[in-house]
Amino acid sequence: MAKNKKPAGVLLTRFSALGDVAMTVPAVYDACRANPEVRFIFVTRPGPAGVFVNPPPNLAVEGIDLNLFKGPGGIWRLTRQLIKKYGADTYVDLHDVLRTRIMRAAARLHGLKVTRLDKMRRRRRELISGHDRTPLRPTVARYADAIETAGLRRGGGFTSVYDGHRADPALFAAVTVPRRPDETWVAIAPFAAHAGKRLPLSLVREVTATLLSRPGVRIFVMGFGPDESRIIDSIAPEHTDGRLLNMAALRAGITAELALMSHCDVMLTADSANMHLASLAGLSAVSVWGATHPAAGFLGYGQRLSDCVQINMDCRPCSIYGNRPCRHPEGDTTYPCLNRITAGRVLECLDEVLQRNKTTSPPNQQ
């Protein structure tokens, strides 16, 4: 491809967890709208592909079962098939792991221009070691950097997958009826893949009890699978009036959950995929941080640092992903960075967001 020629077809990949893929959406949608003459093809796993709600007309999303493309030979074959199917002339690697490095090599061999995400691995190590606590460039911005390096206009202005509005209530009709004007809807997402990020159950119970003591409050507890469903059932078993809904038991799916989030007033969440889903729905999130830290660049798009609840400790952050054992002398497996956060502090932050959104629309919502 000529050096200054604009791409005609851009292949983008990110195969990792739901939250990582969700963070690509603002950058990808903005790029699609800023380059309407270019065709974009986003390739990921089947599950995370569901976050691409209401995509721009020049975006195709492929959910690939990687079990069908095992080993270097399988990845090479996948790359060749995608290039042939879509006629791509540019490949943007938004993951930069072994699998996508093989894809980059295959793409170059087929004559494609190739760019990649800067994962800032050295800076991450410095952040964890305490040698340099300067915040990293936000991940969403680095996704946009990689796309711009491919010769595309950067774009900007993403509000939500609903273009700054609320979703059609019919999309979550199987979960609940539309909200009444006198109701306050709160989403709570206490779970995360790793212990260093999960909200303490005692904290969730206390916050939930206080919220349910208020008239007109409905709570939607987000989760997935039977184990998380059982935990949700134990949070407020005395409330049988239908004001606390177990989303793990309802199994509504990403489309319905995103639509529901767009009608909520605030979300309480761990540093998890649900924080990023809240961003896609235009919902303000109060996020609780333990082993991880917003300085690593993973704060949800459009969310405010002032809405993060965390304790300053010399050992924080001890992990980028929350998957390392607690290194605090009193920690072991208990993570004092999480367990010392009080329900009162969380409720104060939730109330600040609710009050703020009464006078000004949430950052990504009208």
mmCIF file of all heavy atoms in Angstrom, residues 291-326:
data_model
loop_
_atom_site.group_PDB
_atom_site.id
_atom_site.type_symbol
_atom_site.label_atom_id
_atom_site.label_comp_id
_atom_site.label_asym_id
_atom_site.label_seq_id
_atom_site.Cartn_x
_atom_site.Cartn_y
_atom_site.Cartn_z
ATOM 1 N N ALA A 291 -6.687 -3.734 44.700
ATOM 2 C CA ALA A 291 -5.342 -4.082 44.246
ATOM 3 C C ALA A 291 -4.947 -3.323 42.986
ATOM 4 O O ALA A 291 -3.775 -3.080 42.734
ATOM 5 C CB ALA A 291 -5.252 -5.588 44.001
ATOM 6 N N THR A 292 -5.945 -2.951 42.180
ATOM 7 C CA THR A 292 -5.684 -2.214 40.947
ATOM 8 C C THR A 292 -5.860 -0.717 41.204
ATOM 9 O O THR A 292 -6.233 -0.292 42.296
ATOM 10 C CB THR A 292 -6.611 -2.687 39.831
ATOM 11 O OG1 THR A 292 -7.984 -2.503 40.241
ATOM 12 C CG2 THR A 292 -6.374 -4.159 39.526
ATOM 13 N N HIS A 293 -5.611 0.089 40.166
ATOM 14 C CA HIS A 293 -5.626 1.542 40.362
ATOM 15 C C HIS A 293 -6.008 2.224 39.050
ATOM 16 O O HIS A 293 -5.574 1.779 37.970
ATOM 17 C CB HIS A 293 -4.229 2.015 40.798
ATOM 18 C CG HIS A 293 -4.209 3.367 41.434
ATOM 19 N ND1 HIS A 293 -4.354 4.533 40.703
ATOM 20 C CD2 HIS A 293 -4.056 3.753 42.733
ATOM 21 C CE1 HIS A 293 -4.284 5.570 41.521
ATOM 22 N NE2 HIS A 293 -4.119 5.131 42.754
ATOM 23 N N PRO A 294 -6.801 3.301 39.099
ATOM 24 C CA PRO A 294 -7.142 4.027 37.871
ATOM 25 C C PRO A 294 -5.925 4.538 37.109
ATOM 26 O O PRO A 294 -5.993 4.758 35.895
ATOM 27 C CB PRO A 294 -8.006 5.193 38.376
ATOM 28 C CG PRO A 294 -8.507 4.766 39.712
ATOM 29 C CD PRO A 294 -7.461 3.868 40.291
ATOM 30 N N ALA A 295 -4.795 4.727 37.809
ATOM 31 C CA ALA A 295 -3.593 5.240 37.152
ATOM 32 C C ALA A 295 -3.061 4.295 36.087
ATOM 33 O O ALA A 295 -2.282 4.708 35.223
ATOM 34 C CB ALA A 295 -2.498 5.506 38.189
ATOM 35 N N ALA A 296 -3.485 3.028 36.110
ATOM 36 C CA ALA A 296 -3.035 2.063 35.100
ATOM 37 C C ALA A 296 -3.722 2.276 33.760
ATOM 38 O O ALA A 296 -3.389 1.605 32.782
ATOM 39 C CB ALA A 296 -3.266 0.638 35.586
ATOM 40 N N GLY A 297 -4.692 3.181 33.709
ATOM 41 C CA GLY A 297 -5.314 3.520 32.431
ATOM 42 C C GLY A 297 -6.616 2.816 32.145
ATOM 43 O O GLY A 297 -7.139 2.915 31.033
ATOM 44 N N PHE A 298 -7.196 2.133 33.145
ATOM 45 C CA PHE A 298 -8.393 1.339 32.895
ATOM 46 C C PHE A 298 -9.667 1.941 33.485
ATOM 47 O O PHE A 298 -10.669 1.233 33.601
ATOM 48 C CB PHE A 298 -8.196 -0.081 33.429
ATOM 49 C CG PHE A 298 -7.174 -0.869 32.660
ATOM 50 C CD1 PHE A 298 -5.941 -1.167 33.216
ATOM 51 C CD2 PHE A 298 -7.434 -1.296 31.367
ATOM 52 C CE1 PHE A 298 -4.989 -1.884 32.513
ATOM 53 C CE2 PHE A 298 -6.491 -2.013 30.649
ATOM 54 C CZ PHE A 298 -5.271 -2.308 31.219
ATOM 55 N N LEU A 299 -9.654 3.201 33.865
ATOM 56 C CA LEU A 299 -10.895 3.830 34.302
ATOM 57 C C LEU A 299 -11.854 3.866 33.120
ATOM 58 O O LEU A 299 -11.467 4.122 31.981
ATOM 59 C CB LEU A 299 -10.620 5.250 34.804
ATOM 60 C CG LEU A 299 -11.841 6.040 35.299
ATOM 61 C CD1 LEU A 299 -12.501 5.351 36.482
ATOM 62 C CD2 LEU A 299 -11.430 7.462 35.663
ATOM 63 N N GLY A 300 -13.132 3.600 33.381
ATOM 64 C CA GLY A 300 -14.115 3.557 32.303
ATOM 65 C C GLY A 300 -14.173 4.857 31.515
ATOM 66 O O GLY A 300 -14.031 5.951 32.072
ATOM 67 N N TYR A 301 -14.403 4.732 30.213
ATOM 68 C CA TYR A 301 -14.481 5.889 29.333
ATOM 69 C C TYR A 301 -15.587 6.841 29.812
ATOM 70 O O TYR A 301 -16.711 6.428 30.078
ATOM 71 C CB TYR A 301 -14.794 5.432 27.905
ATOM 72 C CG TYR A 301 -14.979 6.565 26.931
ATOM 73 C CD1 TYR A 301 -13.881 7.155 26.317
ATOM 74 C CD2 TYR A 301 -16.245 7.047 26.628
ATOM 75 C CE1 TYR A 301 -14.063 8.208 25.424
ATOM 76 C CE2 TYR A 301 -16.430 8.089 25.736
ATOM 77 C CZ TYR A 301 -15.322 8.661 25.144
ATOM 78 O OH TYR A 301 -15.500 9.696 24.263
ATOM 79 N N GLY A 302 -15.238 8.111 29.954
ATOM 80 C CA GLY A 302 -16.214 9.114 30.363
ATOM 81 C C GLY A 302 -16.495 9.138 31.848
ATOM 82 O O GLY A 302 -17.254 9.997 32.317
ATOM 83 N N GLN A 303 -15.902 8.209 32.611
ATOM 84 C CA GLN A 303 -16.114 8.203 34.057
ATOM 85 C C GLN A 303 -15.164 9.191 34.729
ATOM 86 O O GLN A 303 -14.130 9.544 34.172
ATOM 87 C CB GLN A 303 -15.916 6.793 34.621
ATOM 88 C CG GLN A 303 -16.794 5.736 33.984
ATOM 89 C CD GLN A 303 -18.284 5.974 34.195
ATOM 90 O OE1 GLN A 303 -18.691 6.725 35.090
ATOM 91 N NE2 GLN A 303 -19.111 5.339 33.367
ATOM 92 N N ARG A 304 -15.510 9.619 35.935
ATOM 93 C CA ARG A 304 -14.731 10.640 36.628
ATOM 94 C C ARG A 304 -13.835 10.017 37.696
ATOM 95 O O ARG A 304 -14.268 9.137 38.441
ATOM 96 C CB ARG A 304 -15.669 11.645 37.296
ATOM 97 C CG ARG A 304 -16.632 12.336 36.351
ATOM 98 C CD ARG A 304 -17.353 13.444 37.073
ATOM 99 N NE ARG A 304 -18.400 14.036 36.237
ATOM 100 C CZ ARG A 304 -18.948 15.226 36.455
ATOM 101 N NH1 ARG A 304 -18.534 15.953 37.487
ATOM 102 N NH2 ARG A 304 -19.899 15.684 35.674
ATOM 103 N N LEU A 305 -12.624 10.514 37.756
ATOM 104 C CA LEU A 305 -11.708 10.074 38.804
ATOM 105 C C LEU A 305 -12.274 10.393 40.182
ATOM 106 O O LEU A 305 -12.072 9.642 41.138
ATOM 107 C CB LEU A 305 -10.340 10.730 38.613
ATOM 108 C CG LEU A 305 -9.213 10.268 39.537
ATOM 109 C CD1 LEU A 305 -8.942 8.776 39.360
ATOM 110 C CD2 LEU A 305 -7.940 11.073 39.283
ATOM 111 N N SER A 306 -13.022 11.476 40.285
ATOM 112 C CA SER A 306 -13.608 11.864 41.570
ATOM 113 C C SER A 306 -14.677 10.885 42.042
ATOM 114 O O SER A 306 -15.063 10.894 43.216
ATOM 115 C CB SER A 306 -14.204 13.273 41.481
ATOM 116 O OG SER A 306 -15.214 13.328 40.484
ATOM 117 N N ASP A 307 -15.163 10.039 41.142
ATOM 118 C CA ASP A 307 -16.168 9.031 41.502
ATOM 119 C C ASP A 307 -15.538 7.680 41.821
ATOM 120 O O ASP A 307 -16.252 6.692 42.001
ATOM 121 C CB ASP A 307 -17.190 8.857 40.374
ATOM 122 C CG ASP A 307 -18.022 10.109 40.135
ATOM 123 O OD1 ASP A 307 -18.137 10.933 41.066
ATOM 124 O OD2 ASP A 307 -18.553 10.263 39.013
ATOM 125 N N CYS A 308 -14.213 7.634 41.903
ATOM 126 C CA CYS A 308 -13.503 6.410 42.290
ATOM 127 C C CYS A 308 -13.336 6.388 43.808
ATOM 128 O O CYS A 308 -12.926 7.390 44.399
ATOM 129 C CB CYS A 308 -12.116 6.342 41.632
ATOM 130 S SG CYS A 308 -12.162 6.254 39.833
ATOM 131 N N VAL A 309 -13.654 5.272 44.426
ATOM 132 C CA VAL A 309 -13.491 5.107 45.867
ATOM 133 C C VAL A 309 -12.289 4.206 46.092
ATOM 134 O O VAL A 309 -12.261 3.065 45.623
ATOM 135 C CB VAL A 309 -14.749 4.491 46.509
ATOM 136 C CG1 VAL A 309 -14.546 4.322 48.013
ATOM 137 C CG2 VAL A 309 -15.974 5.349 46.218
ATOM 138 N N GLN A 310 -11.289 4.718 46.798
ATOM 139 C CA GLN A 310 -10.058 3.964 47.016
ATOM 140 C C GLN A 310 -9.329 4.507 48.238
ATOM 141 O O GLN A 310 -9.578 5.620 48.674
ATOM 142 C CB GLN A 310 -9.163 4.013 45.781
ATOM 143 C CG GLN A 310 -8.856 5.414 45.285
ATOM 144 C CD GLN A 310 -8.118 5.419 43.954
ATOM 145 O OE1 GLN A 310 -7.349 4.524 43.646
ATOM 146 N NE2 GLN A 310 -8.338 6.456 43.150
ATOM 147 N N ILE A 311 -8.435 3.699 48.769
ATOM 148 C CA ILE A 311 -7.621 4.078 49.918
ATOM 149 C C ILE A 311 -6.168 4.187 49.466
ATOM 150 O O ILE A 311 -5.650 3.282 48.792
ATOM 151 C CB ILE A 311 -7.735 3.038 51.049
ATOM 152 C CG1 ILE A 311 -9.154 3.013 51.607
ATOM 153 C CG2 ILE A 311 -6.744 3.330 52.169
ATOM 154 C CD1 ILE A 311 -9.387 1.925 52.628
ATOM 155 N N ASN A 312 -5.511 5.267 49.814
ATOM 156 C CA ASN A 312 -4.097 5.425 49.484
ATOM 157 C C ASN A 312 -3.253 4.558 50.413
ATOM 158 O O ASN A 312 -3.246 4.755 51.630
ATOM 159 C CB ASN A 312 -3.673 6.890 49.598
ATOM 160 C CG ASN A 312 -4.298 7.760 48.525
ATOM 161 O OD1 ASN A 312 -4.519 7.308 47.408
ATOM 162 N ND2 ASN A 312 -4.611 8.999 48.862
ATOM 163 N N MET A 313 -2.564 3.593 49.841
ATOM 164 C CA MET A 313 -1.687 2.703 50.598
ATOM 165 C C MET A 313 -0.384 2.564 49.824
ATOM 166 O O MET A 313 -0.383 2.561 48.580
ATOM 167 C CB MET A 313 -2.338 1.332 50.795
ATOM 168 C CG MET A 313 -3.656 1.387 51.556
ATOM 169 S SD MET A 313 -4.475 -0.233 51.725
ATOM 170 C CE MET A 313 -3.340 -1.056 52.851
ATOM 171 N N ASP A 314 0.725 2.448 50.540
ATOM 172 C CA ASP A 314 2.035 2.363 49.893
ATOM 173 C C ASP A 314 2.141 1.160 48.957
ATOM 174 O O ASP A 314 2.894 1.197 47.983
ATOM 175 C CB ASP A 314 3.142 2.289 50.946
ATOM 176 C CG ASP A 314 3.308 3.598 51.711
ATOM 177 O OD1 ASP A 314 2.861 4.636 51.187
ATOM 178 O OD2 ASP A 314 3.881 3.573 52.811
ATOM 179 N N CYS A 315 1.396 0.101 49.237
ATOM 180 C CA CYS A 315 1.496 -1.122 48.434
ATOM 181 C C CYS A 315 0.578 -1.104 47.221
ATOM 182 O O CYS A 315 0.579 -2.054 46.421
ATOM 183 C CB CYS A 315 1.193 -2.349 49.287
ATOM 184 S SG CYS A 315 -0.419 -2.290 50.102
ATOM 185 N N ARG A 316 -0.212 -0.058 47.072
ATOM 186 C CA ARG A 316 -1.120 0.036 45.924
ATOM 187 C C ARG A 316 -0.494 0.873 44.818
ATOM 188 O O ARG A 316 0.135 1.898 45.099
ATOM 189 C CB ARG A 316 -2.443 0.692 46.314
ATOM 190 C CG ARG A 316 -3.366 -0.149 47.124
ATOM 191 C CD ARG A 316 -4.745 0.507 47.239
ATOM 192 N NE ARG A 316 -5.382 0.608 45.923
ATOM 193 C CZ ARG A 316 -5.810 1.745 45.392
ATOM 194 N NH1 ARG A 316 -5.684 2.897 46.035
ATOM 195 N NH2 ARG A 316 -6.370 1.754 44.198
ATOM 196 N N PRO A 317 -0.765 0.453 43.553
ATOM 197 C CA PRO A 317 -1.382 -0.808 43.149
ATOM 198 C C PRO A 317 -0.365 -1.947 43.206
ATOM 199 O O PRO A 317 0.815 -1.742 42.951
ATOM 200 C CB PRO A 317 -1.815 -0.532 41.709
ATOM 201 C CG PRO A 317 -0.791 0.439 41.206
ATOM 202 C CD PRO A 317 -0.451 1.304 42.389
ATOM 203 N N CYS A 318 -0.851 -3.135 43.515
ATOM 204 C CA CYS A 318 0.039 -4.299 43.532
ATOM 205 C C CYS A 318 -0.142 -5.165 42.299
ATOM 206 O O CYS A 318 0.543 -6.175 42.142
ATOM 207 C CB CYS A 318 -0.183 -5.132 44.794
ATOM 208 S SG CYS A 318 -1.833 -5.846 44.924
ATOM 209 N N SER A 319 -1.077 -4.774 41.437
ATOM 210 C CA SER A 319 -1.364 -5.589 40.263
ATOM 211 C C SER A 319 -2.072 -4.738 39.220
ATOM 212 O O SER A 319 -2.814 -3.811 39.564
ATOM 213 C CB SER A 319 -2.244 -6.780 40.654
ATOM 214 O OG SER A 319 -2.667 -7.497 39.525
ATOM 215 N N ILE A 320 -1.856 -5.065 37.959
ATOM 216 C CA ILE A 320 -2.587 -4.406 36.879
ATOM 217 C C ILE A 320 -3.990 -4.988 36.763
ATOM 218 O O ILE A 320 -4.964 -4.279 36.526
ATOM 219 C CB ILE A 320 -1.839 -4.544 35.538
ATOM 220 C CG1 ILE A 320 -0.511 -3.771 35.592
ATOM 221 C CG2 ILE A 320 -2.694 -4.044 34.372
ATOM 222 C CD1 ILE A 320 -0.662 -2.273 35.751
ATOM 223 N N TYR A 321 -4.108 -6.304 36.942
ATOM 224 C CA TYR A 321 -5.376 -6.994 36.719
ATOM 225 C C TYR A 321 -6.026 -7.506 37.997
ATOM 226 O O TYR A 321 -7.102 -8.108 37.939
ATOM 227 C CB TYR A 321 -5.164 -8.169 35.756
ATOM 228 C CG TYR A 321 -4.555 -7.761 34.444
ATOM 229 C CD1 TYR A 321 -3.250 -8.105 34.118
ATOM 230 C CD2 TYR A 321 -5.285 -7.006 33.527
ATOM 231 C CE1 TYR A 321 -2.684 -7.723 32.911
ATOM 232 C CE2 TYR A 321 -4.727 -6.611 32.323
ATOM 233 C CZ TYR A 321 -3.424 -6.971 32.021
ATOM 234 O OH TYR A 321 -2.867 -6.585 30.825
ATOM 235 N N GLY A 322 -5.393 -7.333 39.160
ATOM 236 C CA GLY A 322 -5.966 -7.805 40.411
ATOM 237 C C GLY A 322 -5.779 -9.284 40.669
ATOM 238 O O GLY A 322 -6.439 -9.864 41.531
ATOM 239 N N ASN A 323 -4.858 -9.900 39.937
ATOM 240 C CA ASN A 323 -4.697 -11.365 40.004
ATOM 241 C C ASN A 323 -3.483 -11.808 40.811
ATOM 242 O O ASN A 323 -3.124 -12.982 40.783
ATOM 243 C CB ASN A 323 -4.594 -11.932 38.589
ATOM 244 C CG ASN A 323 -3.453 -11.325 37.780
ATOM 245 O OD1 ASN A 323 -2.947 -10.253 38.125
ATOM 246 N ND2 ASN A 323 -3.071 -11.983 36.709
ATOM 247 N N ARG A 324 -2.860 -10.897 41.562
ATOM 248 C CA ARG A 324 -1.696 -11.273 42.370
ATOM 249 C C ARG A 324 -2.077 -11.357 43.842
ATOM 250 O O ARG A 324 -2.977 -10.642 44.290
ATOM 251 C CB ARG A 324 -0.570 -10.260 42.185
ATOM 252 C CG ARG A 324 0.011 -10.236 40.774
ATOM 253 C CD ARG A 324 1.180 -9.290 40.699
ATOM 254 N NE ARG A 324 1.819 -9.291 39.392
ATOM 255 C CZ ARG A 324 2.898 -8.600 39.078
ATOM 256 N NH1 ARG A 324 3.480 -7.824 39.996
ATOM 257 N NH2 ARG A 324 3.408 -8.659 37.860
ATOM 258 N N PRO A 325 -1.400 -12.204 44.604
ATOM 259 C CA PRO A 325 -1.682 -12.282 46.042
ATOM 260 C C PRO A 325 -1.425 -10.938 46.711
ATOM 261 O O PRO A 325 -0.535 -10.195 46.319
ATOM 262 C CB PRO A 325 -0.701 -13.352 46.537
ATOM 263 C CG PRO A 325 -0.324 -14.140 45.332
ATOM 264 C CD PRO A 325 -0.378 -13.185 44.185
ATOM 265 N N CYS A 326 -2.223 -10.640 47.728
ATOM 266 C CA CYS A 326 -2.050 -9.403 48.481
ATOM 267 C C CYS A 326 -0.663 -9.389 49.120
ATOM 268 O O CYS A 326 -0.242 -10.365 49.736
ATOM 269 C CB CYS A 326 -3.130 -9.291 49.554
ATOM 270 S SG CYS A 326 -3.013 -7.803 50.558
#
